[in-house]
């Protein structure tokens, strides 16, 4: 990480605006004091200069300032853009969405009542917690921000001097502070992501997959107890907790302060982030170092590999792809399908080896997006489909490369979905699908499910029998399991049809609790986003509008899925890459030369795989004319 990133302080608050954890870095704070004193001497007579407070804010002062900001901005995150309720000096006055995540606090000192501005504060929402990180900037940058948030214009026009974008470009510490905030959020929710690497079934081989539990394969010696890690929370709550809403996703839970203190003291001593990889930090604190861990004299040990692995050696690759599609079945709208993929790797190799292997599928004319891990060395693409990739593997699982490409071997699920309302409370639908058309072994489809959601109507019954699979329904959806989980099908084309009817409860008979909707109200009111003198959260407002009984054309957000009729396909496949990526395990070379078993697997999951109702309205992006 860039050494120019230093953190003055950080705070973790809950959804009751109570500071649960805070950490101040006096070394960095002294640097700030020196910089401000120097700037004050240079700018004597400048009445607009911000004077440093005589003491750092207390936790109670930060909590009070955070509460005051929520009232001023409408929510913890706020709009970030100027509205008629915005006041001069507020974050929304700057009129830039980034101000939902880079905020300021106006702290009122308890001893003298004076107000001081603290900026830039990185705000990261994770589950029911709010994480604030204050990086070190120059006093001139704080002065520029104070000028910017009091300008009558937004300061973001073309050719305007002193706009927010130019100011943030001078502050690389912002990126580092974001990284600190995100890893702290992962730690307090026990949401430490590791790329999935599929291994063959069998007894555990130890090694790096278990690094978070302290079972890393270091040379045999006594290992101290691993630092405690916060207990896991509900997986659904974790999945949707990042900056999506101000509402808490789970109930209160105890914050593991020991785990935070342990991580902070090792990962960012004296306020300077050195290594924010939680796996590395946990392994270091768990195992310590010994003379056996010293790297060879003729090799430079990279920062991403603080340990030298000792134990049984093996090398594993997994190609993991997510398929997104929009199927319209209309002559005037082309179908869209793309593959987002990554090559995950786990290298249990002794010493500091380099791994060289050929990767097939990197044709620059076909690949739309391509990025590599910093440990990889890749020559410039010459236009061929096969390219050599060399890398010095870090500890634990990591993503070697990411890419986006079209689907090269055919559409996994194609066909159409039609739904028409035969009466106010009854609809007739028809599916005609083809699965794995033209696919060959070793590809298999492990499961395939089609879901018809009806978020604004309550399903009371349905009729119809599919040509294959089983059907069930809930209050707001009908689910068709074409291939049940656990009953995978090999590479053979499957034709599936499903005609039927679905009956809904009458409009007036549905309560908001049953249908997830809100009745009544003037949809064109200019004041409905106001609650007294405050604003509601943008996401909450859009969700409320979305759930009301309105046709799609009347919704504020025209691209909201729930405004249209659609079916969503979910599936999982294994055996080959849909983007054409391949790794020849027999051509993998390791330097210095060593004989190591190499395993390779592929997994393909559906992402947003949507069948739009052919007979209804659908969102589509216009393609530029050639």
């Amino acid at each position: 990480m860039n050494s120019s990133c230093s953190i003055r302080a950080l705070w973790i608050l809950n959804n009751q605006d109570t500071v649960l954890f805070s950490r101040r870095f006096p070394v960095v704070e002294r640097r700030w004091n020196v910089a401000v004193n120097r700037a004050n001497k240079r700018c004597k007579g400048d009445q607009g200069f911000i004077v440093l407070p005589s003491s750092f804010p207390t936790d109670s002062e930060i909590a009070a300032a955070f509460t005051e900001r929520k009232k001023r901005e409408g929510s913890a995150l706020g709009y970030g853009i100027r509205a008629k309720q915005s006041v001069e000096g507020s974050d929304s006055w700057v009129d830039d969405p980034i101000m939902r995540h880079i905020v300021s606090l106006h702290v009122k000192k308890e001893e003298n009542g004076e107000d001081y501005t603290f900026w830039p504060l990185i705000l990261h929402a994770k589950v029911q917690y709010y994480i604030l990180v204050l990086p070190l900037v120059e006093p001139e940058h704080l002065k520029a921000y104070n000028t910017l948030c009091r300008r009558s214009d937004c300061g973001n026009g073309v050719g305007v001097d002193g706009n927010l974008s130019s100011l943030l470009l001078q502050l690389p510490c912002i990126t580092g502070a974001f990284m600190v905030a995100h890893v702290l959020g992962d730690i307090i929710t026990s949401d430490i992501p590791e790329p999935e690497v599929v291994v063959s079934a069998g007894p555990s081989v130890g090694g790096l997959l278990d690094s978070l539990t302290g079972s890393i394969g270091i040379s045999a010696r006594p290992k101290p107890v691993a630092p405690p890690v916060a207990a896991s929370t509900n997986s659904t709550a974790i999945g949707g907790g990042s900056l999506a809403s101000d509402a808490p996703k789970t109930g209160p839970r105890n914050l593991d302060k020991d785990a935070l203190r342990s991580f902070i003291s090792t990962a960012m001593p004296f306020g300077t982030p050195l290594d924010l990889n939680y796996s590395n930090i946990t392994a270091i604190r768990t195992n310590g170092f010994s003379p056996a861990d010293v790297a060879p004299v003729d090799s430079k040990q990279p920062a991403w590999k603080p340990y030298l692995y000792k134990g049984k050696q093996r090398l594993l690759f997994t190609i993991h792809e997510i398929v997104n599609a929009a199927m319209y079945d209309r002559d005037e709208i082309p179908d869209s399908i793309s593959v987002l993929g990554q090559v995950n790797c786990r290298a249990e190799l002794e010493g500091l080896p380099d791994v060289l292997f050929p990767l097939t599928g990197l044709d620059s004319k076909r690949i739309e997006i391509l990025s590599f891990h910093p440990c990889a060395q890749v020559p410039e693409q010459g236009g061929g489909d096969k390219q050599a990739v060399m890398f010095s593997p870090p500890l634990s699982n990591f993503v070697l490369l990411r890419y986006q490409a079209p689907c090269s071997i055919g559409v996994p699920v194609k066909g159409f979905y039609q739904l028409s309302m035969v009466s106010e409370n009854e609809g007739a639908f028809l599916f005609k699908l083809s699965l794995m058309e033209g696919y060959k072994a070793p590809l298999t489809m492990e499961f395939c499910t089609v879901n018809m959601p009806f978020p604004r109507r309550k399903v009371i019954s349905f009729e119809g029998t599919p040509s294959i699979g089983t059907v069930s329904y809930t209050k707001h959806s009908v689910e068709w399991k074409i291939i049940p989980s656990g009953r995978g099908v090999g590479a053979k084309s499957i034709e599936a049809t499903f005609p039927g009817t679905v009956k809904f409860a009458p409009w007036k008979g549905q309560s908001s609790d049953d249908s997830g909707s809100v009745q009544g109200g003037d949809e064109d009111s200019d004041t409905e986003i106001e609650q007294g003198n405050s604003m509601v959260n943008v996401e909450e407002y859009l969700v409320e509008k979305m759930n009301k009984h309105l046709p799609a054309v009347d919704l504020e957000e025209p691209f909201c899925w729930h405004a249209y009729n659609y079916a969503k396909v979910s599936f999982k496949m294994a055996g080959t890459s849909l983007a054409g990526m391949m790794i020849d395990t027999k051509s993998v070379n390791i330097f210095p030369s060593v004989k190591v078993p190499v395993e390779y697997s592929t997994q393909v999951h559906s992402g947003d795989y949507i069948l739009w109702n052919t007979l209804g309205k659908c969102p589509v992006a216009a393609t530029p004319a050639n």
Side-chain angles (χ1 to χ4, degrees):
M1 178 177 294
N2 195 315
S3 60
S4 64
C5 176
S6 296
I7 306 301
R8 292 175 60 190
L10 57 89
W11 298 267
I12 299 177
L13 299 88
N14 61 11
N15 51 9
Q16 282 81 39
D17 300 343
T18 301
V19 176
L20 303 178
F21 179 87
S22 63
R23 179 66 185 269
R24 176 187 171 189
F25 299 95
V27 171
V28 182
E29 190 61 19
R30 280 196 290 271
R31 290 166 55 193
W32 167 253
N33 276 275
V34 170
V36 168
N37 291 334
R38 186 185 306 118
N40 280 335
K41 292 179 181 178
R42 277 200 316 264
C43 304
K44 283 185 177 179
D46 185 354
Q47 299 297 325
F49 192 77
I50 302 299
V51 180
L52 180 72
S54 56
S55 61
F56 208 71
T58 63
D59 289 353
S60 61
E61 290 170 346
I62 287 292
F66 190 73
T67 302
E68 187 270 335
R69 182 189 179 276
K70 284 175 66 174
K71 294 178 181 178
R72 184 176 68 246
E73 300 293 338
S75 69
L77 298 179
Y79 278 103
I81 55 176
R82 191 182 296 187
K84 60 184 178 181
Q85 297 90 348
S86 300
V87 297
E88 184 177 310
S90 65
D91 292 334
S92 59
W93 191 259
V94 182
D95 199 28
D96 194 307
I98 194 65
M99 296 308 296
R100 302 183 71 220
H101 313 297
I102 304 175
V103 305
S104 65
L105 290 184
H106 302 293
V107 176
K108 180 174 288 188
K109 297 298 295 179
E110 295 173 347
E111 62 268 18
N112 54 22
E114 294 185 10
D115 287 331
Y116 297 102
T117 300
F118 287 86
W119 180 91
L121 278 159
I122 305 304
L123 172 60
H124 175 51
K126 185 74 172 184
V127 193
Q128 76 267 28
Y129 299 110
Y130 298 107
I131 301 161
L132 291 171
V133 179
L134 178 62
L136 175 68
V137 298
E138 292 295 330
E140 288 77 10
H141 296 138
L142 179 57
K143 180 180 178 181
Y145 169 76
N146 277 275
T147 302
L148 189 64
C149 66
R150 285 175 171 79
R151 290 169 57 159
S152 58
D153 63 343
C154 297
N156 291 323
V158 177
V160 175
D161 293 330
N163 59 63
L164 182 63
S165 297
S166 62
L167 177 60
L168 294 179
L169 284 174
Q170 302 174 37
L171 302 175
C173 61
I174 294 290
T175 303
F178 266 112
M179 294 173 64
V180 171
H182 277 258
V183 73
L184 292 179
D186 292 340
I187 292 172
I188 62 180
T189 58
S190 296
D191 186 17
I192 308 298
E194 274 223 3
E196 182 180 7
V197 176
V198 180
V199 297
S200 58
S204 172
V205 295
L208 304 175
L209 188 63
D210 302 322
S211 59
L212 291 182
T213 64
S215 298
I216 190 168
I218 309 298
S219 56
R221 61 178 182 267
K223 299 176 182 177
V225 178
V229 179
S232 178
T233 58
N234 184 286
S235 59
T236 19
I238 291 173
S242 179
L243 296 178
S245 171
D246 291 341
K249 303 297 189 301
T250 64
R253 55 184 292 274
N254 294 325
L255 191 69
D256 195 329
K257 297 180 181 179
D258 288 338
L260 285 172
R261 293 190 186 101
S262 173
F263 174 81
I264 291 171
S265 62
T266 308
M268 40 192 300
F270 305 106
T272 301
L274 301 178
D275 186 352
L276 296 178
N277 186 308
Y278 189 73
S279 299
N280 287 350
I281 298 303
T282 305
I284 291 172
R285 294 193 64 86
T286 302
N287 300 284
F289 289 93
S290 78
D293 297 323
V294 178
V297 178
D298 56 343
S299 300
K300 184 177 180 181
Q301 191 164 356
W304 55 77
K305 193 168 186 178
Y307 273 106
L308 299 182
Y309 174 77
K310 298 290 184 181
K312 183 179 179 180
Q313 301 190 84
R314 70 191 314 193
L315 184 60
L316 304 102
F317 295 97
T318 294
I319 294 179
H320 186 272
E321 295 182 337
I322 296 177
V323 186
N324 297 314
M327 315 295 285
Y328 297 96
D329 189 43
R330 304 187 186 197
D331 294 335
E332 70 277 14
I333 305 177
D335 294 340
S336 172
I337 182 168
S338 64
V339 179
L340 297 175
Q342 61 188 44
V343 177
N344 300 336
C345 181
R346 172 183 167 191
E348 296 177 336
L349 302 174
E350 294 185 348
L352 295 172
D354 289 323
V355 180
L356 177 67
F357 72 97
L359 183 63
T360 302
L362 288 179
D363 187 354
S364 58
K365 297 179 180 178
R366 193 177 58 85
I367 295 293
E368 299 168 359
I369 297 175
L370 182 65
S371 64
F372 288 87
H373 189 278
C375 74
Q377 303 175 43
V378 184
E380 292 186 8
Q381 288 180 271
D385 192 49
K386 182 179 289 188
Q387 186 160 354
V389 178
M390 176 176 282
F391 65 96
S392 176
L395 290 175
S396 76
N397 302 347
F398 70 101
V399 180
L400 179 58
L401 68 96
R402 290 183 170 90
Y403 58 89
Q404 178 175 324
C407 189
S408 64
I409 63 172
V411 182
V413 179
K414 65 179 180 180
F416 64 81
Y417 162 56
Q418 296 179 348
L419 171 67
S420 61
M421 297 302 292
V422 296
S423 68
E424 182 178 337
N425 298 316
E426 182 176 358
F429 63 84
L430 172 64
F431 283 98
K432 189 172 182 181
L433 304 177
S434 176
L435 282 62
M436 299 187 295
E437 184 176 333
Y439 283 17
K440 299 179 180 179
L443 190 142
T444 60
M445 182 170 282
E446 298 184 8
F447 72 86
C448 181
T449 301
V450 179
N451 186 275
M452 289 182 285
F454 303 103
R456 295 174 291 154
R457 299 301 300 266
K458 181 180 178 181
V459 179
I460 58 175
S461 67
F462 82 92
E463 295 180 0
T465 303
S467 61
I468 183 175
T470 59
V471 184
S472 60
Y473 74 96
T474 63
K475 285 196 298 186
H476 299 291
S477 67
V478 175
E479 185 179 69
W480 175 22
K481 292 184 178 180
I482 303 176
I483 302 175
S485 181
R487 299 183 183 179
V489 176
K492 63 177 182 179
S493 181
I494 298 175
E495 300 293 330
T497 58
F498 182 20
T501 59
V502 58
K503 293 184 179 179
F504 305 104
W507 279 110
K508 296 180 181 179
Q510 299 184 64
S511 67
S512 60
D513 291 338
D514 288 338
S515 63
S517 61
V518 181
Q519 295 278 356
D522 180 5
E523 303 306 325
D524 297 323
S525 171
D526 291 331
T527 61
E528 67 176 341
I529 65 171
E530 299 180 30
Q531 293 180 347
N533 294 324
S534 64
M535 300 174 291
V536 298
N537 192 7
V538 176
E539 288 89 354
E540 294 172 355
Y541 168 60
L542 293 178
V543 169
E544 181 182 351
K545 294 284 287 184
M546 174 186 72
N547 285 334
K548 291 183 178 180
H549 300 316
L550 298 173
V553 291
D554 290 340
L555 282 170
E556 291 276 339
E557 173 51 71
F559 295 106
C560 180
W561 284 12
H562 290 185
Y564 303 94
N565 303 127
Y566 68 94
K568 185 172 183 178
V569 183
S570 301
F571 59 82
K572 180 181 178 182
M573 307 172 72
T576 191
S577 160
L578 298 189
M581 289 288 177
M582 292 181 61
I583 297 175
D584 183 2
T585 57
K586 296 180 181 180
S587 301
V588 176
N589 294 302
I590 301 174
F591 307 97
S593 181
V594 61
K595 203 167 186 180
V596 172
V598 180
E599 297 183 27
Y600 160 59
S601 62
T602 59
Q603 285 191 344
V604 179
H605 294 261
S606 59
D608 296 334
Y609 204 103
I610 306 300
L611 302 174
W612 295 106
N613 179 16
T614 307
L615 305 179
K617 296 177 180 178
C618 60
V620 62
T623 54
N626 293 329

